[in-house]
Short mmCIF file of all heavy atoms in Angstrom, two decimals:
data_model
loop_
_atom_site.label_atom_id
_atom_site.label_comp_id
_atom_site.label_asym_id
_atom_site.label_seq_id
_atom_site.Cartn_x
_atom_site.Cartn_y
_atom_site.Cartn_z
N VAL A 129 -12.88 69.11 -18.56
CA VAL A 129 -12.95 67.64 -18.56
C VAL A 129 -12.18 67.06 -19.75
O VAL A 129 -12.49 65.97 -20.23
CB VAL A 129 -14.42 67.15 -18.56
CG1 VAL A 129 -15.10 67.55 -17.26
CG2 VAL A 129 -15.20 67.69 -19.76
N ALA A 157 -30.09 52.37 -3.40
CA ALA A 157 -29.58 52.38 -4.77
C ALA A 157 -29.33 53.79 -5.29
O ALA A 157 -28.43 54.00 -6.11
CB ALA A 157 -30.56 51.65 -5.70
N ALA A 220 -52.39 45.12 -10.29
CA ALA A 220 -51.05 45.56 -10.69
C ALA A 220 -51.14 46.59 -11.81
O ALA A 220 -50.46 47.63 -11.78
CB ALA A 220 -50.21 44.37 -11.13
N SER A 254 -47.12 32.64 -13.03
CA SER A 254 -46.55 33.97 -12.81
C SER A 254 -46.31 34.71 -14.12
O SER A 254 -46.62 35.91 -14.24
CB SER A 254 -45.24 33.84 -12.02
OG SER A 254 -44.64 35.10 -11.81
N ALA A 353 -20.87 33.81 -26.13
CA ALA A 353 -22.00 34.52 -26.72
C ALA A 353 -21.57 35.83 -27.36
O ALA A 353 -21.94 36.14 -28.50
CB ALA A 353 -23.06 34.77 -25.65
N GLN A 417 -28.82 65.38 -25.78
CA GLN A 417 -29.29 66.21 -26.89
C GLN A 417 -29.98 67.45 -26.36
O GLN A 417 -30.59 67.44 -25.28
CB GLN A 417 -30.24 65.39 -27.78
CG GLN A 417 -29.51 64.21 -28.44
CD GLN A 417 -30.45 63.29 -29.16
OE1 GLN A 417 -31.49 63.71 -29.67
NE2 GLN A 417 -30.10 62.01 -29.21
N VAL A 485 -19.88 59.53 2.39
CA VAL A 485 -18.51 59.21 2.73
C VAL A 485 -17.60 59.55 1.55
O VAL A 485 -18.02 59.50 0.39
CB VAL A 485 -18.34 57.71 3.10
CG1 VAL A 485 -18.63 56.81 1.92
CG2 VAL A 485 -16.94 57.44 3.67
#
Side-chain angles (χ1 to χ4, degrees):
V129 295
S254 179
Q417 296 172 31
V485 65

